[in-house]
Amino acid sequence: MKFATQKTSHPDGELVLVSRDLTTTVPVSDIADTLQDALSKWDICMPLLQARYDALNAGTLENTRPLNELSLTAPLPRAWQWLDGSCFLNHGHLMQKAFHLDPIEDADKYPLMYQGAGDNFSGPTDDVVVARESDGADFEGEFAVITGSVPMGVTPEQARDAIRLVVMLNDISFRALAPREMKTGFGFVQAKGATAFAPIAVTPDELGDNWHQCRVHLTMNIQRNGSLFGCPHGREMHFGFDQLISHAALTRTLHPGTVIGSGTVSNADPDVGQACISELRAKEMITHGAAQTGFLKHGEVIALAATDESGCSIFGDIHQHVKVEQQHV
Amino acid sequence: MKFATQKTSHPDGELVLVSRDLTTTVPVSDIADTLQDALSKWDICMPLLQARYDALNAGTLENTRPLNELSLTAPLPRAWQWLDGSCFLNHGHLMQKAFHLDPIEDADKYPLMYQGAGDNFSGPTDDVVVARESDGADFEGEFAVITGSVPMGVTPEQARDAIRLVVMLNDISFRALAPREMKTGFGFVQAKGATAFAPIAVTPDELGDNWHQCRVHLTMNIQRNGSLFGCPHGREMHFGFDQLISHAALTRTLHPGTVIGSGTVSNADPDVGQACISELRAKEMITHGAAQTGFLKHGEVIALAATDESGCSIFGDIHQHVKVEQQHV
């Protein structure tokens, strides 16, 4: 199934089903008002939603509408819990080499993960809001999963069954603010902005063979101001989402609608580029001794998409303009 | 005003007003169903709630009920954003001395703050759920505020007006898991459990002179298994809640219902004891070369209360039993 959320005056919007070819939508408010609502009563909703989805794809429904991506917000516009990993180890290796940092101990054994703010996700075409240009605003292309209920202490095998949906996101980071916060050991507060999501959330079966070992085996295409910035794939994620869920649930129960991210997608092959500016800057520092590429400025445009072999944009597109409140401060 | 939330089958419960002397409650569902609801439309609700509260205290209402603390959950049973500070610098100094750690740079200039999980707060009498005894479960007595809407970039002066409610809480920490997570720089995920709240949330005016410079000037009484464990006061908080809100809002808007905590209450005077086990252990390490006091075991009882000069328990009592899922592992 493919889901999206129409913008309404309510922060959680209105859930719709989207046809497999992303052309039409159908309301499901008689089954669930919002995606959080559907996730909270998944076992009851699932058969009803599946029947509606099958009919939508078969073209037998009358109350359908053409898909209008501009009318959509994040599939889950806010989450009671948002946890983000950093599970493409190549990214960490590059950052450590560029900044002459010690490797983070056991990063290949325990997933790096921070608690993020899920109160205010951005839609796929919402502005990237930046307080000051000097904050060093950056994007990060990531895949993520949205879970059902997860009991405390689940194994990765058990966690797999709790994966309800797969999404794509743009994790906004303020690089000038991160080093001080990381040094405290308390993690990121000021150094993270509102995370933006591609409009379509899909059940794992929609990915076919591109969902493998709880990883998204798709290539993400990242454009900065209309030029290709990178096209890394999700296969090199060191931990699967099953392992991330198990890690997060060691000492706590996860509630339906918990979002868990992969961290910026990154590949060892330098020819594929990268999914964030800071990784490109790290490569420049390693090669040239200094970073050459600047962070985001007012008016820039970031676009992310992940297409399958047939050219179908699985999650729809993220297409955001950068809005800097205080420029050149 | 004093608020509490009755447990219902809904995760957000049902909001009630509580009389100033904590003896009676009155429903307010005709004004706001939940505390989140009231916070989201505060300007509309406030005059109606104030009139109901005044009538409750005057004894002129008929549909009142005796307060039953056992029927109450956390005033805000879950929050879209939960940020916790560590603003009693004495606590940090003791930890650094005991563990021979370098001081956290600029901790007196920028508040230490981490993003916590607000999806599942515990009520005042809910069990402290611990996965394994070896996780080193600890309590932390804290004060906190709940905000209204806070624009990005507010000053501390502006932030003051966004403080809607003051609460008391028990921040559950798993000390054996914290050092690894702090070393990554990514902050706490596995090292924090469900935060528990005292049943009554109060508007700052209810604290009278005990609300001063956006700090809670009350003494917190902490009992472990019926014995006094500490009675530190809130005056030595290095940053006021106005400064914590301003810090949190540097790069983001805060939405109504954001909870911001003080960190464990801690005083320089050693005679007042402490609000968490780990601080007592640090003192023992400094004095005796080794910690003597153990972390929480199954069946232990933790009680927290903050009383004013007249002996009134301002926030009601936290009284939790410890439930360890896997003992002696």
Side-chain angles (χ1 to χ4, degrees):
Chain A
M1 286 184 279
K2 298 194 173 191
F3 294 95
T5 293
Q6 301 274 165
K7 287 179 191 173
T8 68
S9 60
H10 192 278
D12 297 315
E14 182 193 332
L15 182 65
V16 296
L17 272 166
V18 180
S19 63
R20 185 162 288 129
D21 63 5
L22 301 195
T23 60
T24 51
T25 67
V26 65
V28 293
S29 58
D30 55 319
I31 304 170
D33 286 329
T34 65
L35 186 54
Q36 181 64 56
D37 189 23
L39 290 160
S40 298
K41 50 181 188 181
W42 188 256
D43 290 343
I44 298 165
C45 294
M46 230 276 275
L48 303 169
L49 292 166
Q50 186 68 54
R52 180 90 34 104
Y53 183 64
D54 293 342
L56 175 66
N57 287 314
T60 58
L61 295 177
E62 289 188 350
N63 58 339
T64 63
R65 284 191 194 170
L67 178 75
N68 172 11
E69 289 205 12
L70 292 178
S71 73
L72 302 176
T73 184
L76 190 67
R78 52 182 179 172
W80 291 110
Q81 185 163 199
W82 157 227
L83 292 161
D84 197 12
S86 182
C87 299
F88 289 86
L89 300 191
N90 183 63
H91 175 72
H93 294 158
L94 286 169
M95 302 308 283
Q96 286 147 22
K97 195 167 174 186
F99 289 96
H100 309 291
L101 303 171
D102 292 327
I104 295 178
E105 209 176 314
D106 290 333
D108 58 344
K109 197 172 159 197
Y110 301 99
L112 292 171
M113 187 178 284
Y114 68 90
Q115 192 91 39
D119 63 323
N120 181 33
F121 292 145
S122 291
T125 57
D126 290 344
D127 288 340
V128 175
V129 178
V130 180
R132 286 157 300 275
E133 196 176 292
S134 57
D135 289 344
D138 196 358
F139 50 86
E140 285 193 5
E142 303 189 17
F143 298 111
V145 295
I146 305 179
T147 76
S149 184
V150 180
M152 186 169 80
V154 290
T155 63
E157 292 68 34
Q158 293 163 334
R160 191 173 307 187
D161 295 332
I163 297 173
R164 296 279 173 268
L165 297 165
V166 184
V167 292
M168 185 179 78
L169 63 88
N170 178 11
D171 172 35
I172 300 299
S173 300
F174 304 119
R175 302 298 186 187
L177 302 172
R180 190 192 62 75
E181 292 195 322
M182 284 191 81
K183 264 189 253 170
T184 67
F186 278 53
F188 312 111
V189 176
Q190 295 182 334
K192 291 287 175 181
T195 308
F197 285 74
I200 316 292
V202 306
T203 47
D205 60 287
E206 292 286 341
L207 298 176
D209 292 342
N210 289 314
W211 178 248
H212 187 63
Q213 295 186 317
C214 293
R215 291 162 176 83
V216 179
H217 284 219
L218 287 168
T219 295
M220 191 183 291
N221 183 298
I222 299 113
Q223 310 257 340
R224 182 178 184 180
N225 304 316
S227 300
L228 182 66
F229 191 83
C231 49
H233 59 74
R235 287 192 295 279
E236 291 176 21
M237 190 173 162
H238 185 74
F239 300 96
F241 285 108
D242 50 349
Q243 294 168 291
L244 297 194
I245 294 169
S246 173
H247 177 86
L250 182 76
T251 55
R252 61 175 79 175
T253 298
L254 306 182
H255 293 271
T258 298
V259 186
I260 302 190
S262 66
T264 189
V265 177
S266 177
N267 293 165
D269 177 2
D271 290 346
V272 302
Q274 53 287 310
C276 67
I277 299 172
S278 108
E279 188 168 311
L280 175 57
R281 288 169 59 91
K283 291 172 183 171
E284 291 167 347
M285 288 164 80
I286 294 164
T287 308
H288 307 293
Q292 298 169 333
T293 304
F295 289 114
L296 293 171
K297 290 192 191 308
H298 186 78
E300 289 203 62
V301 181
I302 297 305
L304 283 72
T307 51
D308 66 12
E309 300 72 17
S310 66
C312 177
S313 177
I314 299 292
F315 306 103
D317 296 353
I318 292 175
H319 193 271
Q320 297 183 277
H321 288 75
V322 178
K323 184 184 171 194
V324 180
E325 301 282 343
Q326 289 180 42
Q327 296 169 53
H328 312 297
V329 171
Chain B
M1 283 183 282
K2 298 193 173 190
F3 294 96
T5 293
Q6 301 272 165
K7 287 181 190 171
T8 69
S9 60
H10 191 279
D12 296 315
E14 183 194 332
L15 183 64
V16 295
L17 272 167
V18 180
S19 63
R20 183 161 291 131
D21 62 4
L22 302 195
T23 59
T24 52
T25 68
V26 65
V28 294
S29 58
D30 55 320
I31 304 170
D33 286 330
T34 65
L35 185 54
Q36 180 64 56
D37 189 23
L39 290 161
S40 297
K41 50 181 189 181
W42 188 258
D43 289 344
I44 298 166
C45 294
M46 229 277 274
L48 302 170
L49 291 167
Q50 186 69 54
R52 179 89 35 105
Y53 183 64
D54 293 342
L56 175 66
N57 287 313
T60 58
L61 295 178
E62 288 188 352
N63 58 338
T64 62
R65 282 190 198 171
L67 178 75
N68 171 10
E69 289 206 11
L70 292 177
S71 73
L72 302 176
T73 183
L76 191 67
R78 51 183 180 173
W80 292 108
Q81 184 163 198
W82 156 226
L83 292 160
D84 197 11
S86 181
C87 299
F88 288 86
L89 300 191
N90 183 63
H91 175 71
H93 294 158
L94 286 169
M95 300 308 282
Q96 285 148 21
K97 197 167 172 187
F99 288 97
H100 309 291
L101 303 171
D102 292 329
I104 296 177
E105 210 175 314
D106 289 334
D108 57 344
K109 196 172 157 196
Y110 301 99
L112 292 172
M113 188 179 281
Y114 69 89
Q115 192 90 39
D119 63 323
N120 182 33
F121 291 145
S122 292
T125 57
D126 290 345
D127 288 340
V128 175
V129 179
V130 180
R132 285 157 300 275
E133 196 176 293
S134 58
D135 289 344
D138 197 359
F139 50 87
E140 287 193 5
E142 304 190 16
F143 297 111
V145 295
I146 305 178
T147 77
S149 184
V150 180
M152 185 169 79
V154 290
T155 63
E157 291 69 34
Q158 293 163 335
R160 190 172 310 188
D161 295 333
I163 297 173
R164 296 279 173 269
L165 297 166
V166 183
V167 292
M168 185 179 78
L169 62 88
N170 178 11
D171 173 34
I172 299 299
S173 301
F174 303 120
R175 303 298 185 187
L177 301 171
R180 190 192 64 74
E181 292 195 323
M182 284 192 81
K183 264 191 251 168
T184 67
F186 278 54
F188 312 109
V189 175
Q190 295 182 333
K192 291 287 176 183
T195 308
F197 284 74
I200 316 293
V202 305
T203 47
D205 61 290
E206 292 286 341
L207 298 176
D209 292 342
N210 289 315
W211 178 249
H212 187 61
Q213 295 186 319
C214 292
R215 291 161 177 86
V216 179
H217 284 219
L218 287 169
T219 295
M220 191 184 289
N221 183 298
I222 300 112
Q223 309 258 340
R224 182 177 184 182
N225 304 317
S227 300
L228 182 67
F229 192 83
C231 50
H233 59 74
R235 289 192 295 279
E236 291 177 19
M237 191 175 162
H238 185 74
F239 300 97
F241 285 109
D242 50 348
Q243 292 168 292
L244 297 194
I245 294 170
S246 173
H247 177 87
L250 182 76
T251 56
R252 62 176 75 176
T253 298
L254 306 182
H255 293 270
T258 298
V259 186
I260 302 189
S262 66
T264 189
V265 177
S266 177
N267 294 165
D269 176 2
D271 290 343
V272 300
Q274 53 287 311
C276 67
I277 299 172
S278 108
E279 189 169 310
L280 176 57
R281 288 169 59 91
K283 290 173 183 172
E284 291 167 348
M285 289 165 80
I286 293 164
T287 308
H288 307 292
Q292 298 169 332
T293 304
F295 290 114
L296 293 172
K297 292 194 190 306
H298 185 79
E300 290 203 60
V301 181
I302 297 305
L304 283 73
T307 50
D308 65 12
E309 298 72 17
S310 66
C312 177
S313 177
I314 299 292
F315 306 104
D317 296 353
I318 292 175
H319 193 271
Q320 299 185 275
H321 288 76
V322 177
K323 185 184 171 193
V324 180
E325 301 281 345
Q326 289 179 42
Q327 295 170 52
H328 312 295
V329 172

